[in-house]
Amino acid sequence: MSLRTVMLVGCLLLMSTVALAGEQIELEQVAVEITNRSILANVLKVNLSDPRVGVRVALGEDRVGGTEDLLHFAQRHGAVAAINGTFFNAYVEGSIKDPVGTVITGGELVYRGNTGTVFGITRDKRVRMEPVRFKIIGATDGSYKWPRNWYAYWINRTATSANHAGIYTPARGPRMGVAGGVSVIVQGGTVTGIDSGEQPIPEDGYVINFQGSEASLGERFAIGTTVEYRVTFADDKPLAGFWAEVAEALGVGPKLVTGGEISFSTESAKAEGFTEAKILSSSYGRSALGITAAGELLLVTTGAVTVAELAQLMQSLGAVEAMNMDGGASSGLVYQGKYITEPGRPISNALLIFVN
């Protein structure tokens, strides 16, 4: 491991560097002088242009709502590196701890969030970080128009209000984890059962659950009814272009750097839906993702900093686009089978890096 000194954007950085053979991934341990103090950061620089490099979103215990040790995530999937993903309900009781942000894995939307910035990557490794929002609309007997249409607010989310419309797919696990309401069981695109509350999720289908004021939507289904749904943009426009081709995505945020300039502010964070001091002003251990002008993916963890300081750090590291990830006790980074930053708890989801 060699030590070198460089200048980036007026900040002094001391970096010790380790690289894999072929330089697909490079680890840098960095000290950056920002606002009259030094910030230590661990930086994994991933060469996305290398065809041997792959990126994947993984779920704790392979299900939405499950949790898992970050090092175990990497080891179980054979990943070279891993960083923690989106926020999740870490403090709720029970075994189901839902994510908060959008999650796409294997090209499937497995959890819909409605705040923050979404990191998305296509199978050919094009990357964006945008505040994209999605919507779920459904049809019965081939019709997306009234009175045969239906909708869902959520995918694989525990009901948190009296009025609920949600879809539960095999990504949730064998069961919904939901009590009450009307549950419509769909297998192979056809309704095979209508019951109440908790139901097993078929491997070749899903369960739709309607509660409270949405329970009347259950009247649009009968045994034998054909059912389908699709994901659109929140403004009802069909998915097209980049977001129609995304294979993996995590909704976290707020956005830190846009077009090479710091874009984080209290106002911008609030516009993304963040209102808590832990994002707006407090210092915590942090994780972040960045993209350089050369198209490299940066996986970064730090000690206690504010999100404003994290934005300065990511810009100094050469990120032209950057976003905050879950932090505090969730912040973690794994490289070559070892912790670089060890989280203080099991986490809900992770971004994994592979070298084939």
Side-chain angles (χ1 to χ4, degrees), residues 264-289:
F264 170 81
S265 66
T266 299
E267 292 72 24
S268 69
K270 288 181 178 179
E272 289 190 34
F274 298 103
T275 59
E276 296 182 340
K278 66 174 65 177
I279 296 296
L280 302 180
S281 58
S282 299
S283 291
Y284 287 91
R286 304 281 182 187
S287 298
L289 294 181

Side-chain angles (χ1 to χ4, degrees), residues 56-234:
R56 178 184 167 193
V57 171
L59 302 171
E61 301 174 336
D62 291 331
R63 62 184 179 90
V64 174
T67 58
E68 191 171 341
D69 180 81
L70 181 60
L71 182 58
H72 191 251
F73 263 112
Q75 293 173 334
R76 185 164 66 84
H77 292 281
V80 173
I83 192 169
N84 62 285
T86 185
F87 308 108
F88 68 103
N89 296 323
Y91 303 109
V92 299
E93 295 183 1
S95 61
I96 297 177
K97 301 182 186 298
D98 287 343
V100 174
T102 292
V103 180
I104 295 173
T105 182
E108 178 187 357
L109 177 68
V110 298
Y111 194 88
R112 175 186 170 269
N114 62 356
T115 59
T117 293
V118 181
F119 165 84
I121 184 166
T122 62
R123 286 182 172 82
D124 59 357
K125 291 181 289 188
R126 288 174 290 126
V127 175
R128 287 190 188 177
M129 297 178 181
E130 297 177 346
V132 64
R133 302 288 180 266
F134 299 111
K135 185 176 181 179
I136 306 156
I137 59 174
T140 61
D141 293 330
S143 175
Y144 282 89
K145 296 182 179 180
W146 188 90
R148 305 305 302 163
N149 64 318
W150 57 278
Y151 54 84
Y153 303 139
W154 308 109
I155 290 184
N156 296 319
R157 174 176 173 170
T158 305
T160 56
S161 68
N163 305 315
H164 176 76
I167 299 170
Y168 298 87
T169 74
R172 178 71 164 183
R175 300 187 71 85
M176 303 155 58
V178 175
V182 177
S183 292
V184 179
I185 303 160
V186 181
Q187 290 181 270
T190 301
V191 176
T192 58
I194 301 175
D195 211 322
S196 61
E198 181 69 79
Q199 298 295 322
I201 300 172
E203 293 183 0
D204 61 343
Y206 47 91
V207 180
I208 316 166
N209 180 262
F210 301 109
Q211 299 188 28
S213 62
E214 305 297 350
S216 61
L217 286 173
E219 299 172 3
R220 304 187 183 190
F221 302 85
I223 304 298
T225 299
T226 60
V227 183
E228 61 188 86
Y229 69 89
R230 62 189 179 211
V231 178
T232 70
F233 290 117

Side-chain angles (χ1 to χ4, degrees), residues 37-61:
R37 75 184 187 94
S38 181
I39 297 175
L40 296 176
N42 299 299
V43 183
L44 279 178
K45 187 180 295 183
V46 181
N47 181 7
L48 291 180
S49 65
D50 191 310
R52 293 166 291 183
V53 171
V55 180
R56 178 184 167 193
V57 171
L59 302 171
E61 301 174 336

